Amino acid sequence: MCGIALSVGPEADPAIFRRMLAVVAPRGEVTETRQEAGLLTGVRRLRIVDRDRAVQPWTSPDGRYVLCYNGEVFNHHELRRELARLGYPFRSESDTEVVLAAFLRWGEEAVHRLRGEWAFALVERATGRVYLARDPLGVKPLYWARTAGCLHVASEVKALVGQRAPIGEVPPGHHGWAEPDGPVRLRAYLDLLTLGEGLPVVDDPDEAALLVRAALTDSIRMRVDTDLTVGVVLSGGLDSSLALLHVRELHPDCVAVTVGVPDSPDVAYARRLAADLGVPHEVVELRPRDIRLADIREAIRISELTEYGDIINAVVSVPIFRRLRELGVKVVLTGDGSDELFGGCPMYHQVGPGRARRLFLHKIRNLCRTELQRVDRASMGHGVEARVPFLDLSVVELAMRLPLDLKLREGQEKWIVRRAFADVLPDYIRRRPKNPMSYSSGLHERVRLYKPLFARLHRAFGYDLLEPVRRDFSRVLTRCGNDLDRAIADGLARPDYTVLEHARDLVGAAKWNAAPLVKRLVGPRRTRGDEAPLPG
């Protein structure tokens, strides 16, 4: 994975370009550029696939195109073999070269063949036209801004705010051409909302369990195809535990990392699982008092997020990836996306079966600006490549075909996932109820004390040039009586919380944070040697 930056057009300024590239520097290890009149391209490359020869920007054999690429195409071996049979003269073993070779062979249809997490900009040198493309789920980011005589493209919003111009985003599953002095014309090559249409519903529990197991196992297998150590962000919940179980079997050189209050449920469950599996385990122990305003500011700076709940989760995520960088781990798997796909969000219970599918589609379409953005920025901000196996397109398509009663059954969320892996999941993990990451880590309410400052900090970084901070969609939906149309309209009309709402939230958070102190003052004293019990 990488951070990319381009300035294309007659007014391309080398000083501006250098600043853009410096901003995305944490995303990689080495800086590589190609600069000529009206065309400034650069990559901050994280060396993972063909580390010595995958130098970017990558130029086509005839010199016509220059590629700046961020991401991983996990089926690059198969594509390479096919393109080699068709006569393409490969110079490396990199997936970067495969992306360009695929475009040269199949043109804009190449995006349908790329299985992975990616975003790229391909410049036609003679004309200055730029082809922009982004993966179907929007796992990897891509933004653009225009100033007089110049188109700027970058992996992160923070690289573009210096131009003080409106910032546009390449939506997930979109591609198209941008003229150096003209419009940016993007169109969908895949519509997530129609994924799985025309395919039969899978309503038999046995068949569904087999398909879920096969799809997820294959997705993880592709994502551990590396000679590097693979990390797993382990919360001790169902999804991250499944990821660790598979990684341990498929790629024994692995390590688990957990964050939380020392006696929190997350840490206890994660410690037990890692010990049972014999996997090295790093625990980043934080206490609520350890989180200060500087941590909030840094999480907002890194993440660029626009919903309060996501920002709170980012504050908890940043220490995980900081520790992974210190350990020298460059590839990590997470369990993100499973809640949305398999009914792990409480809102699915609230809206009922009739509205659940529309809500499901809305959540999937917006992952790119919520959970996936948090994962990308928090990881790449520390030079770590996060891979999300639950959001492989094959897994998403299968989830589209499963009825709600296979996802929510017998009062248990993600029922079909638990059934699919019942024989390999430890019972204490399989039966553990869902807990949002930051709640069960014991850190959520501490961060809420700073919520009234989120929007101001977000604006101070210039991120409102793309989008302002918005209310948490889950709260908007509840206030609108679980009416999805009303919630979407209300969220757009009134993006931020009012002063009164912030005051009420602050009082609640203050009470929660004061509770442990009161308990210590009035409760029995713990004797030396007392320990919090592990989950049984």
Side-chain angles (χ1 to χ4, degrees):
M1 303 251 179
C2 307
I4 67 175
L6 302 88
S7 290
V8 185
E11 299 301 319
D13 185 334
I16 292 175
F17 168 73
R18 286 194 296 271
R19 287 196 294 271
M20 289 170 56
L21 197 53
V23 169
V24 298
R27 297 180 70 93
E29 303 164 278
V30 293
T31 299
E32 298 162 345
T33 64
R34 180 186 177 115
Q35 303 182 49
E36 53 194 77
L39 176 57
L40 309 175
T41 59
V43 173
R44 181 70 173 175
R45 182 165 63 96
L46 186 62
R47 295 178 292 188
I48 293 177
V49 179
D50 199 355
R51 295 185 282 277
D52 295 327
R53 292 183 295 173
V55 178
Q56 292 197 54
W58 193 273
T59 306
S60 62
D62 60 4
R64 179 180 177 182
Y65 293 106
V66 174
L67 172 68
C68 291
Y69 162 67
N70 168 34
E72 297 285 347
V73 169
F74 299 121
N75 63 334
H76 70 95
H77 296 299
E78 297 92 322
L79 291 175
R80 175 186 306 279
R81 287 192 291 268
E82 182 177 358
L83 289 162
R85 286 195 301 268
L86 293 170
Y88 186 85
F90 281 98
R91 295 172 279 160
S92 74
E93 296 296 320
S94 71
D95 59 328
T96 303
E97 186 176 14
V98 169
V99 169
L100 182 50
F103 177 84
L104 295 177
R105 180 69 190 187
W106 298 303
E108 296 175 29
E109 292 300 307
V111 291
H112 296 286
R113 294 173 173 260
L114 307 179
R115 182 180 178 185
E117 305 160 1
W118 46 265
F120 62 85
L122 182 68
V123 185
E124 187 176 49
R125 293 174 60 215
T127 64
R129 294 197 311 152
V130 185
Y131 175 66
L132 304 172
R134 189 177 181 189
D135 69 68
L137 272 295
V139 180
K140 291 292 105 183
L142 195 59
Y143 302 94
W144 60 273
R146 186 180 294 285
T147 55
C150 189
L151 174 72
H152 308 278
V153 179
S155 293
E156 298 188 5
V157 176
K158 59 179 67 70
L160 299 171
V161 295
Q163 280 63 270
R164 305 306 304 172
I167 297 172
E169 181 177 8
V170 178
H174 280 63
H175 67 160
W177 290 90
E179 305 291 335
D181 290 314
V184 177
R185 295 188 176 93
L186 302 173
R187 65 189 186 282
Y189 65 84
L190 185 145
D191 183 1
L192 283 176
L193 304 189
T194 63
L195 196 64
E197 279 191 1
L199 297 174
V201 173
V202 183
D203 53 9
D204 177 77
D206 293 331
E207 180 186 7
L210 288 173
L211 291 173
V212 167
R213 183 161 179 156
L216 184 59
T217 301
D218 182 61
S219 177
I220 295 175
R221 177 188 60 78
M222 298 189 80
R223 285 164 173 79
V224 297
D225 181 19
T226 177
D227 61 347
L228 298 172
T229 300
V230 174
V232 175
V233 176
L234 179 65
S235 72
L238 175 67
D239 311 317
S240 61
S241 296
L242 275 175
L244 184 61
L245 282 162
H246 282 81
V247 172
R248 178 182 173 274
E249 293 299 316
L250 298 168
H251 192 90
D253 182 10
C254 62
V255 61
V257 180
T258 303
V259 65
V261 173
D263 58 354
S264 69
D266 273 3
V267 172
Y269 277 95
R271 284 190 192 278
R272 181 175 179 182
L273 181 66
D276 287 351
L277 296 178
V279 172
H281 187 209
E282 291 283 328
V283 177
V284 181
E285 292 189 347
L286 291 177
R287 291 169 175 79
R289 65 176 180 270
D290 296 331
I291 296 178
R292 304 296 178 88
L293 179 59
D295 302 298
I296 309 299
R297 186 180 188 278
E298 178 66 358
I300 292 174
R301 184 196 68 79
I302 288 175
S303 70
E304 307 172 351
L305 287 159
T306 58
E307 281 197 19
Y308 283 88
D310 297 308
I311 293 172
I312 290 171
N313 284 337
V315 175
V316 180
S317 297
V318 165
I320 296 175
F321 295 105
R322 182 184 298 129
R323 183 58 182 144
L324 284 163
R325 180 186 61 188
E326 292 168 354
L327 293 170
V329 176
K330 294 196 289 186
V331 175
V332 63
L333 269 60
T334 80
D336 293 283
S338 176
D339 286 345
E340 289 76 12
L341 291 179
F342 296 106
C345 300
M347 63 179 70
Y348 289 126
H349 300 259
Q350 298 160 4
V351 301
R355 299 174 179 175
R357 179 168 175 79
R358 286 195 63 220
L359 176 59
F360 168 60
L361 295 173
H362 176 80
K363 290 285 291 181
I364 294 299
R365 184 168 54 184
N366 280 277
L367 275 175
C368 64
R369 52 172 292 275
T370 55
E371 194 165 342
L372 289 178
Q373 182 168 319
R374 171 183 59 81
V375 172
D376 172 80
R377 302 302 194 282
S379 61
M380 294 302 292
H382 295 89
V384 177
E385 175 181 306
R387 301 176 176 181
V388 283
F390 278 95
L391 292 175
D392 189 273
L393 202 58
S394 64
V395 179
V396 177
E397 182 180 81
L398 175 59
M400 296 282 198
R401 299 168 58 198
L402 300 179
L404 183 63
D405 71 338
L406 289 185
K407 300 176 181 181
L408 304 172
R409 180 174 286 199
E410 301 169 2
Q412 194 169 56
E413 84 289 341
K414 293 182 280 193
W415 180 85
I416 191 61
V417 178
R418 298 174 194 273
R419 173 163 178 163
F421 296 97
D423 62 321
V424 296
L425 278 168
D427 196 57
Y428 59 89
I429 295 294
R430 186 169 63 86
R431 296 182 181 277
R432 184 188 179 190
K434 169 67 182 175
N435 281 304
M437 173 186 68
S438 48
Y439 283 94
S440 50
S441 70
L443 301 170
H444 180 277
E445 291 295 337
R446 173 68 177 188
V447 183
R448 280 181 60 189
L449 287 171
Y450 297 95
K451 274 184 68 176
L453 303 177
F454 286 5
R456 185 192 309 170
L457 290 169
H458 183 270
R459 289 191 298 270
F461 291 117
Y463 297 157
D464 54 321
L465 288 168
L466 175 67
E467 187 179 359
V469 169
R470 299 188 179 279
R471 303 158 182 258
D472 290 324
F473 180 75
S474 58
R475 293 196 177 189
V476 176
L477 185 66
T478 300
R479 194 179 64 245
C480 292
N482 296 315
D483 184 318
L484 182 59
D485 294 319
R486 275 186 59 201
I488 293 172
D490 188 79
L492 292 173
R494 297 192 301 161
D496 197 8
Y497 290 112
T498 65
V499 173
L500 180 59
E501 287 170 320
H502 272 312
R504 290 173 178 170
D505 197 49
L506 185 59
V507 169
K511 288 180 179 178
W512 192 95
N513 278 272
L517 176 61
V518 173
K519 186 176 180 180
R520 286 197 299 271
L521 291 174
V522 303
R525 294 190 177 186
R526 294 177 65 180
T527 60
R528 183 174 298 178
D530 285 349
E531 294 180 354
L534 288 174

